[in-house]
Amino acid sequence: MRRLIIVASVLVVAVLAGVIVAVVRSSGGGEKTVQTVAGHKITEKDLELTVEHFHEEADREGKPFPAKDTAAYRRVEKIALGLLVDQASIRAAAAKLGVQVTEAQVDAKASAPSGESEEGGDIRVEAEVAFGRASARTQLITEAVARKLTAGIAVSPAAVHAYYRSHRALYGSTAYARVAPAIRSQLLSARKNAVLTRWLAKVRAGEPKPNLD
């Protein structure tokens, strides 16, 4: 189950990062609020650091950058803001379920910035730390939500046997007793993952659109 959730979280970030053709470094920044999501304020600094993280990733991949104040740069900012909105929405929806994580948990989960980031200067170190903590927080929250929502899910022996009968070609002459535990585990993981997927889809369906105006 944990592996499925981690993979889902990684895929979400990978898809968002993959949409970015090029990322530029944002200058200035501050504590001005860019957008508010369920009472959580996303600031210019949050946006700057998220964009800077993507800048670091793009540099590692040797990608070019669009100039600031261009339409391409604006698209990058909007994608970065979309990720921040998604994280804030997940955090708010989880809080309604009574799910929260502590700063100590985030500290333990978050990765330290890489040597490459350190070479880029303080802003890159700060960006990598901020992105790592935000990603860690979202993953911890998602895992905690999954545990809460799926606590009562079970797979009956009848369901396991039905799956075995309908997939006999997969098992050949292998006796039911030998594969039953693996089938049960597979079905249980699939059901739990489906519950989490539906919850995330519902959260994202109600998310506000990123707004930079």
Side-chain angles (χ1 to χ4, degrees), residues 5-193:
I5 295 171
I6 291 174
V7 169
S9 299
V10 170
L11 284 174
V12 171
V13 175
V15 168
L16 287 167
V19 174
I20 300 177
V21 177
V23 186
V24 297
R25 188 184 308 231
S26 174
S27 62
E31 295 309 310
K32 178 182 176 182
T33 299
V34 176
Q35 188 163 351
T36 301
V37 179
H40 175 78
K41 293 181 179 180
I42 299 172
T43 68
E44 285 184 343
K45 185 67 172 179
D46 296 328
L47 182 58
E48 175 191 14
L49 293 176
T50 304
V51 169
E52 188 58 40
H53 163 77
F54 289 131
H55 184 185
E56 172 77 354
E57 282 196 340
D59 275 1
R60 286 196 293 264
E61 296 171 5
K63 292 183 178 179
F65 299 98
K68 189 177 180 181
D69 297 324
T70 63
Y73 177 82
R74 196 70 170 171
R75 285 196 295 271
V76 169
E77 281 194 313
K78 190 171 183 179
I79 291 168
L81 180 57
L83 176 57
L84 292 169
V85 167
D86 185 62
Q87 292 173 337
S89 298
I90 289 173
R91 186 173 179 176
K96 290 181 180 180
L97 296 175
V99 173
Q100 294 180 329
V101 298
T102 67
E103 292 304 310
Q105 288 175 299
V106 175
D107 288 341
K109 186 72 174 178
S111 299
S114 68
E116 288 183 72
S117 296
E118 292 172 2
E119 293 174 3
D122 291 343
I123 183 63
R124 289 204 165 184
V125 173
E126 187 179 1
E128 292 304 283
V129 169
F131 189 86
R133 289 182 63 79
S135 298
R137 186 186 305 279
T138 301
Q139 183 176 319
L140 287 167
I141 288 173
T142 303
E143 290 172 353
V145 166
R147 288 193 296 270
K148 186 178 185 69
L149 294 180
T150 64
I153 293 179
V155 176
S156 68
V160 175
H161 203 274
Y163 184 91
Y164 175 77
R165 289 198 308 270
S166 63
H167 294 80
R168 283 303 306 271
L170 294 176
Y171 305 109
S173 60
T174 306
Y176 169 74
R178 290 189 58 187
V179 297
I183 293 174
R184 179 186 176 280
S185 178
Q186 177 183 337
L187 293 178
L188 185 61
S189 293
R191 290 183 183 183
K192 288 185 175 182
N193 201 41

